[in-house]
Amino acid sequence: MSGYVSIRNLRKSFGTFEALRGIDLDIGRGEVVCVIGPSGSGKSTLIRCINRLEPFSDESEIRVDDIPVIPGRSLAKVRAEVGMVFQAFNLFPHLTVRENVMLAPRRVRGTSRADAYRQAEMLLARVGIREQADKYPSGLSGGQQQRVAIARALAMEPQVMLFDEPTSALDPEMVGEVLDVMKDLAGTGVTMIVVTHEMGFARQVADRVIFMDSGEVIEAGPPDEIFANPKEARTQNFLKAVLHH
């Protein structure tokens, strides 16, 4: 597994509403891609299609390391390699922080309890909350819960990490601690696709920024190009609105 994602003619409708209109995208191994754009532009739907949390049209094709994202055994294979971090942390409230991190490796990978425990300790230390390991999620701040969610996704040793606006549910003073963990992660060679409103983070960390609007990729390129010199009027207007408010 290497973390390469290929998307061809991705279409997704909710009833008569076309959320994604024929998106083509290749994301290279170890690439950090930030997806920006106005609300309702299809950003979250796009990344939810990659591990098929959202089913998509039959004529569309998504492959992760050449494994097609289709229902059945290959989907289970893809999901074992693709970690996801959501807006709402989605931690199991009845499990401790450590147990949340240990669960998937034990269930899906068949990791021994001792190995899963060791790995959880290491990952919680990596995201800076090892001392919270025995607490339940309700005893943690939002920023801490999101860091647990990142550790939990990393416990499966994914090749690709998807982040769906991971800081949008957080109080402003907690955003930085989560972005710092993500910056560290970006340096490790895991492929990252991040839907975000954090323009500073996108500018600093992304290898490539993708601007979406109305279910289409309007423009994509290196952050310096997109932020300093966007070619498309829609990109220019969006950035003017978000960067100068």
Side-chain angles (χ1 to χ4, degrees):
M1 280 291 183
S2 67
Y4 171 79
V5 180
S6 153
I7 298 172
R8 290 291 169 270
N9 189 29
L10 180 56
R11 293 178 182 279
K12 166 72 187 175
S13 294
F14 296 98
T16 55
F17 173 67
E18 248 194 313
L20 298 174
R21 308 176 176 190
I23 288 181
D24 292 315
L25 207 50
D26 287 300
I27 291 160
R29 175 184 180 173
E31 192 177 13
V32 178
V33 173
C34 284
V35 186
I36 63 170
S39 288
S41 58
K43 310 181 298 292
S44 291
T45 307
L46 168 69
I47 66 165
R48 289 173 68 87
C49 285
I50 293 174
N51 59 0
R52 215 179 166 97
L53 286 177
E54 256 346 313
F56 44 84
S57 142
D58 289 346
E59 74 259 36
S60 308
E61 184 186 56
I62 301 181
R63 288 175 170 266
V64 175
D65 286 329
D66 255 355
I67 302 167
V69 180
I70 48 177
R73 282 177 58 191
S74 77
L75 181 58
K77 217 169 176 183
V78 166
R79 285 191 176 155
E81 299 301 339
V82 177
M84 180 135 190
V85 177
F86 302 88
Q87 277 176 24
F89 326 116
N90 292 15
L91 298 172
F92 294 109
H94 62 290
L95 298 179
T96 64
V97 163
R98 185 189 291 107
E99 287 164 349
N100 262 283
V101 177
M102 288 170 65
L103 185 67
R106 296 215 55 205
R107 274 214 185 141
V108 182
R109 295 244 193 260
T111 306
S112 73
R113 186 171 172 82
D115 286 348
Y117 187 99
R118 266 199 301 276
Q119 184 196 31
E121 293 287 293
M122 185 194 80
L123 288 169
L124 290 169
R126 183 166 156 193
V127 299
I129 45 173
R130 200 188 146 282
E131 70 288 353
Q132 312 288 349
D134 294 313
K135 288 189 181 167
Y136 288 88
S138 58
L140 271 53
S141 71
Q144 290 172 325
Q145 288 189 54
Q146 195 57 297
R147 287 188 279 160
V148 176
I150 292 172
R152 180 181 63 176
L154 290 174
M156 286 292 287
E157 301 179 349
Q159 300 296 320
V160 179
M161 281 283 281
L162 307 175
F163 292 88
D164 187 6
E165 300 193 11
T167 57
S168 67
L170 299 178
D171 294 332
E173 66 274 17
M174 292 172 189
V175 168
E177 63 186 69
V178 172
L179 293 178
D180 285 344
V181 169
M182 291 170 64
K183 280 175 196 164
D184 287 346
L185 188 57
T188 64
V190 62
T191 305
M192 289 171 62
I193 306 170
V194 185
V195 171
T196 186
H197 292 298
E198 301 292 334
M199 298 301 142
F201 174 82
R203 195 168 202 161
Q204 199 183 343
V205 178
D207 297 310
R208 187 161 42 132
V209 173
I210 291 172
F211 172 69
M212 284 182 71
D213 195 9
S214 307
E216 297 175 313
V217 171
I218 305 300
E219 189 165 356
D224 292 350
E225 224 166 83
I226 297 291
F227 287 106
N229 197 9
K231 296 180 181 60
E232 302 293 329
R234 276 195 273 180
T235 319
Q236 292 162 7
N237 295 338
F238 171 77
L239 289 173
K240 213 172 275 168
V242 295
L243 296 175
H244 302 109
H245 63 224

